[in-house]
Amino acid sequence: MKRRRPSGLPDARGHFGRFGGRFVPETLMAPLIELESAYLAAKRDPKWTRRLRELSTTYAGRPTPLYFAERLTEHAGGARIYLKREDLCHTGAHKVNNVLGQGLLATRMGKKRIIAETGAGQHGVATATAAALFGLPCDVYMGAEDVERQKPNVFRMKLLGARVIPVDSGSRTLKDAVNEALRDWVTNVRTTYYCLGSAMGPHPYPMMVRDFQTVIGREARSQALRTIGRLPDAVVACVGGGSNAIGLFHAFIADRRVRLIGVEPGGRGLATGRHGASISGGAVGVLHGSMSYLLQNDDGQVTEAHSISAGLDYPGVGPEHAYYYDAGRFTFEPITDEEAVEAFSSLTRLEGLMPALESAHAVAYALRLAKTLPRTKSLLVGLSGRGDKDVHVVAKALGMTLE
Amino acid sequence: MNRIDDVFTRLRTTGERALGPYFTAGDPSLDVTRRLVIEAARRGADLIELGVPFSDPIADGPVIQRAAARALANGATLVRVLETVAAIRREASVPIALMTYYNPVLAFGLEPFAEAAIKAGVDGVIVPDLPPEEADPLAEELHPRGLSLIYMVAPTSTPARMRTIARRSRGFLYVVSLTGVTGERQELPRELADQMRELRALTTKPLCVGFGISRPDQAAQVARLADGVIVGSAIVRLCEERATSSSLVEDVGDFIADLKKPLRNG
């Protein structure tokens, strides 16, 4: 089967249909346009792309395998479940794909400093890792509440030489860390590279981060053709900002018979209002530089997301997801905190794979879907990260204590 | 004719510079905001920037962030801010520009917003996260109704962008004096004079400078270059410090008078 290139999105101004764009202060407009041209030039430079491929292989550990989860499949008793093992990447998640690309771009642009936002600390750790690799000073903005909740990652970033700056404004979580990183960037834009962690924010970030993550889907697609002998019937990935999902889905967009399903954090349940499901439970608006679905009240104030998984605890979603949702190509399903913890336990016990709570959302939905399908069908699930970082959260959810 | 245009036409004949104080609507309360605006107009403000509080004000420094959070906690919404403008209009004719992030406007609906704003007596709208590339849908609702969409121009704006912004902006151009967020600064950026020279060569529209201006001596410096001076954080900080004082409105009025003094008779 030949792979066709799906749509030329985004357009020249960074729009995915009515979504995306650049909704930022004028101060950032010229720098964003400069970033876009620097990125497009780098992409055309064979030396640069070769260096990125080389780092992906020798540093990040690509390609990651596609694993047939036999016992998990038996447990569900339906469709065959395959896992794309991004949890085996260096730093323990797909995040490294993005930071290597952006880190290489930052050095190419001659920037002297890297900044990033982080929620749980995964993107912060990945950025701190890339900053160490490329020899750049790194400041990571992290909500003060998350600094408290994610001490091990805070320490990791410090060990890697980064400075972690707690953000005390607003809800003191990821959304506010993005605000503060944007404010830093507005102030230091001439010298500083902002390494945004997901396929969100103003153009060119949704495009650029997607491009750095599409390696997941390209590998997975050819691995599926090799191991399953055909394309999977559905591809399932969790969606916070949506970088691992868009990275996994992108290669399958033109394969019309493959269902592409994004799994959103249902938190305590959509009906409770305490969730992070921007598409299933939000409305169209503008946050952090792009138009997409987001959680907001009637007055257009952004509301707080709730999820057991800090990496999905974000009130927005990348604009390309919004576009393909409206177009009917992607569907989105919520999974609650409880279901995610249950899936975490199942995968850990049945396969010896401890998934990140983010990824556990995708596993939970895949289990539900597999049960409804015959054994001749197959599901490809994005195992975006490993779960060691979440053991304390899971312990608490299961009523256990660590100390 | 638009009240903003009137002000600059009048000031140009007298050689005066405009003072545009900024208030976060709803801090400490919408009723006090109404009194502050009326007092400001009485004490020398030529146009008012009324900030609509937003949950995620990425262009604002800590002082205005805190004010927005307080205003939201006090129940300020775009609807209620517009009601406040209507209430001000019964007592004062000072031009009012709403400074609002885009999402509250989108949630309101662009057309209903434009209708409600003109009905309330708003004269202009400034949207810090809406660059010209994304502004057509809003401009198309505002301009036919006689409302000015005022654009910001930044030190990082390229000459081509400056030209576009100069052409599109109505009422005046909001010149962001520095690369950064709103907030008081000890020194004015040295590049401001060059930035203003470049803009003067591109447009005859009034230029108002904002960001980082907090003292009368700084206002005086800027007045040598600009048609208007916008002061935000210093006023909002005063509102924060004197929130519970019975002399709040009078104190802010005194500060406005001090800021306006060096702007008279250019």
Side-chain angles (χ1 to χ4, degrees), chain B residues 36 38 115 129 136 140 207:
Chain B
L36 284 167
I38 291 163
E115 273 301 311
D129 57 349
D136 280 343
E140 281 159 18
L207 304 178

Side-chain angles (χ1 to χ4, degrees), chain A residues 26-27 175 179 286 296 301, chain B residues 55-57 103 156-157 161:
Chain A
E26 171 60 23
T27 308
K175 156 178 103 74
N179 290 339
V286 164
Q296 54 181 319
Q301 307 294 338
Chain B
S55 53
D56 296 83
N103 201 52
T156 51
S157 302
R161 297 191 63 80

Side-chain angles (χ1 to χ4, degrees), chain B residues 127-203:
Chain B
V127 188
D129 57 349
L130 194 66
E133 284 88 339
E134 304 287 357
D136 280 343
L138 181 59
E140 281 159 18
E141 298 299 338
L142 295 181
H143 290 164
R145 292 177 172 84
L147 282 160
S148 300
L149 183 55
I150 298 151
Y151 290 79
M152 293 174 137
V153 60
T156 51
S157 302
T158 57
R161 297 191 63 80
M162 285 188 193
R163 263 193 303 279
T164 306
I165 291 164
R167 195 179 63 242
R168 296 184 62 131
S169 199
R170 304 256 180 126
F172 62 90
L173 269 79
Y174 188 127
V175 182
V176 176
S177 70
L178 47 83
T179 51
V181 293
T182 59
E184 299 152 78
R185 308 288 200 280
Q186 284 309 311
E187 304 260 327
L188 292 171
R190 253 174 283 152
E191 302 79 8
L192 181 61
D194 293 337
Q195 193 189 356
M196 295 299 284
R197 219 176 354 259
E198 275 186 77
L199 286 165
R200 289 290 185 205
L202 290 173
T203 183

